[in-house]
Amino acid sequence: MRTYLVTGGAGFIGSNYIRYILKKYGSSIAVINLDKLTYAGNLENLQDVSESFSEQYTFVKGDICDRELVSGLFRKYEIDRVVHFAAESHVDRSIRDPESFVVTNVLGTLTLLNAAKEAWSESDGSFQPGKKFLHVSTDEVYGSLGETGYFYETTPYDPHSPYSASKASSDMLVKSYMDTYGFPANITNCSNNYGPYQFPEKLIPLMICNALAGRELPVYGDGLNVRDWLYVEDHVRGIDMVQEKGRLFETYNIGGHNEKTNIDIVRTVIKVLREQLDDRDSRKERITEDLICYVEDRKGHDRRYAIAPDKIRKEVGWYPETDFEDGIRKTVSWYLQNEQWKDHILNGAYQSYYDEMYGRRERM
Ligand code: NAD
Ligand code: DAU
């Protein structure tokens, strides 16, 4: 049986990844999900998984910066794969509070690297065969594009926000461990994800939730910044394929070939919500473009991101299967069918889920 240590598995992409690998590999794998449960961590994202895969899935509440805890996990379990999602992930928050981004994204990654290196090292300095560390990173490390061009794996790093600077630092640490120690790792840099279980601070779920509540839809600046949208299920499939078919020590960019301006995204969300809401739903008539409200621009706002996912397509055989029209319909539909999930976030109830599920059991 192969054992995965997934960090940040209670967040948006991590929870989709855990669901994907458990459905794909079933009883041939075990998954340990290490998550601090910050505001972005939500165990309701994995309620179905913890019920259906109770034998293979273990949740550990903890901080990736906690050296004792992380090393202890490597002593307790025979970990074969580390898939590292845990991070502070929201650019606007990083502008207000850069320090927590450096602590988790940089020092936390260093702590994980050290624990894995120590656990996986042989006495001659080589690494036990089959061990792999996958560091999940972002296209934001490459900076901002003009109207043309793409990010390639060879594009020089040029981060602009405290978030992307902290992710760039963590990437550099992983690269340095590969180069210095021959540490068995890969890095993936992907574009903007969307889909089920995304915390409603990011553009698409924020627009869905605000529109349903009849609140304004804040568009930064002129609304013409461009992002390259990737459906989360395509992303997690790509991460799995890189581990299975990618060359060790390589970086792979993962992008959706779905460039859209922000204002296009907001208009599409309004259109799809109107298509999917029942005519008897009183919220429907309020959801119009009148809710759109242009607000002050984000500081240091990158203009355009776009990935050329040529290397991963050629070497690994991955390409994005979900086109945006399809992905956004599935996403809006998921949010409409899971309003309780959204309401628990909006009223804070999701943060007591851990105590209800695990706290009571621990105290007995
Ligand atoms: P998220 O904010 O939804 O989830 C992050 C998770 O990490 C949460 O469950 C949180 O509790 C956990 N966490 C935070 N600090 C921790 C710590 N110190 N110790 C343990 N757990 C901690 O993030 P996401 O959108 O799912 O992103 C996951 C990863 O993918 C991040 O590394 C992010 O940089 C990267 N990424 C995200 C996107 C995107 O569009 N969302 C795109 C490219 C790359
Ligand atoms: O590119 C990958 C990155 O995508 C990830 O590394 C980050 O973790 C993830 O948060 C995301 O970063 P962005 O800053 O691109 O995503 P966000 O959803 O915050 O914003 C998308 C665009 O929408 C961006 O140009 C800012 C704009 N925006 C965002 C919000 C929240 C608005 O216009 N209004 C808003 O209210």
Side-chain angles (χ1 to χ4, degrees):
M1 183 185 273
R2 182 193 285 168
T3 300
Y4 289 71
L5 173 63
V6 178
T7 70
F12 163 49
I13 307 174
S15 61
N16 277 282
Y17 174 74
I18 289 177
R19 182 174 294 98
Y20 177 80
I21 55 170
L22 280 169
K23 282 189 177 166
K24 179 170 177 190
Y25 298 114
S27 59
S28 63
I29 64 167
V31 175
I32 298 137
N33 174 12
L34 171 62
D35 198 297
K36 185 179 170 183
L37 298 184
T38 67
Y39 78 93
N42 181 354
L43 287 181
E44 291 186 32
N45 294 359
L46 288 164
Q47 195 174 351
D48 57 331
V49 163
S50 58
E51 286 163 10
S52 309
F53 296 96
S54 57
E55 296 292 306
Q56 290 114 289
Y57 170 74
T58 305
F59 176 68
V60 177
K61 182 176 176 185
D63 193 327
I64 55 166
C65 301
D66 182 339
R67 277 192 235 167
E68 279 307 304
L69 172 76
V70 176
S71 298
L73 288 176
F74 279 92
R75 283 194 297 273
K76 183 168 178 185
Y77 300 100
E78 185 69 31
I79 292 166
D80 302 296
R81 300 277 170 93
V82 175
V83 186
H84 176 33
F85 294 96
E88 288 295 337
S89 69
H90 192 42
V91 174
D92 292 328
R93 286 179 191 259
S94 83
I95 294 167
R96 288 197 300 272
D97 170 27
E99 195 172 332
S100 59
F101 285 69
V102 174
V103 172
T104 285
N105 300 0
V106 185
L107 298 178
T109 300
L110 181 67
T111 305
L112 265 183
L113 285 168
N114 283 335
K117 176 175 163 286
E118 192 185 312
W120 292 348
S121 286
E122 304 277 26
S123 50
D124 65 358
S126 65
F127 288 92
Q128 294 164 17
K131 305 294 187 187
K132 286 185 187 176
F133 187 108
L134 190 140
H135 176 62
V136 179
S137 192
T138 170
D139 60 359
E140 298 200 12
V141 297
Y142 298 121
S144 184
L145 292 163
E147 296 207 341
T148 57
Y150 294 96
F151 295 137
Y152 294 90
E153 287 78 0
T154 49
T155 303
Y157 276 28
D158 182 25
H160 297 145
S161 70
Y163 163 71
S164 51
S166 69
K167 291 297 289 188
S169 309
S170 65
D171 293 10
M172 292 302 176
L173 281 171
V174 178
K175 283 180 203 285
S176 77
Y177 272 55
M178 295 194 275
D179 294 346
T180 307
Y181 309 109
F183 182 73
N186 286 105
I187 299 173
T188 55
N189 295 82
C190 79
S191 59
N192 286 62
N193 284 220
Y194 69 106
Y197 302 102
Q198 189 168 28
F199 196 82
E201 63 184 353
K202 307 281 165 52
L203 182 69
I204 290 179
L206 180 72
M207 296 301 140
I208 297 172
C209 294
N210 274 10
L212 288 172
R215 286 199 294 266
E216 284 180 341
L217 308 178
V219 174
Y220 299 166
D222 62 7
L224 296 178
N225 297 63
V226 172
R227 297 292 182 265
D228 178 359
W229 294 93
L230 173 66
Y231 193 59
V232 67
E233 287 174 16
D234 281 336
H235 181 200
V236 299
R237 185 172 47 82
I239 289 174
D240 180 55
M241 287 177 76
V242 166
Q243 289 170 88
E244 296 309 307
K245 298 182 183 164
R247 284 185 293 139
L248 215 48
F249 311 120
E250 292 294 317
T251 290
Y252 293 95
N253 285 350
I254 310 184
H257 267 318
N258 262 317
E259 286 183 53
K260 305 277 175 204
T261 63
N262 294 336
I263 189 65
D264 272 355
I265 295 284
V266 176
R267 289 196 176 117
T268 306
V269 167
I270 293 168
K271 183 185 84 178
V272 176
L273 271 171
R274 289 186 60 82
E275 277 167 20
Q276 294 192 1
L277 277 170
D278 195 287
D279 282 340
R280 286 165 301 184
D281 193 318
S282 60
R283 295 172 297 183
K284 183 168 176 171
E285 67 185 37
R286 286 185 316 210
I287 300 179
T288 67
E289 292 191 9
D290 288 345
L291 289 180
I292 294 173
C293 167
Y294 287 90
V295 298
E296 192 187 334
D297 209 352
R298 174 184 277 175
K299 288 187 173 58
H301 198 176
D302 287 335
R303 192 60 171 173
R304 175 172 165 259
Y305 302 146
I307 273 184
D310 301 350
K311 180 175 172 185
I312 190 172
R313 183 167 193 138
K314 190 163 162 249
E315 291 191 12
V316 175
W318 177 92
Y319 58 92
E321 287 177 358
T322 312
D323 71 37
F324 189 73
E325 289 299 311
D326 194 23
I328 194 70
R329 285 199 163 72
K330 286 201 272 192
T331 303
V332 169
S333 164
W334 186 86
Y335 279 85
L336 289 177
Q337 282 164 21
N338 291 276
E339 293 221 45
Q340 196 187 43
W341 177 93
K342 163 189 71 106
D343 292 341
H344 283 178
I345 289 179
L346 298 181
N347 66 26
Y350 76 109
Q351 288 182 311
S352 53
Y353 188 84
Y354 173 77
D355 288 332
E356 283 162 27
M357 290 299 292
Y358 296 89
R360 211 179 298 137
R361 246 191 292 162
E362 278 174 1
R363 279 196 292 274
M364 276 169 66

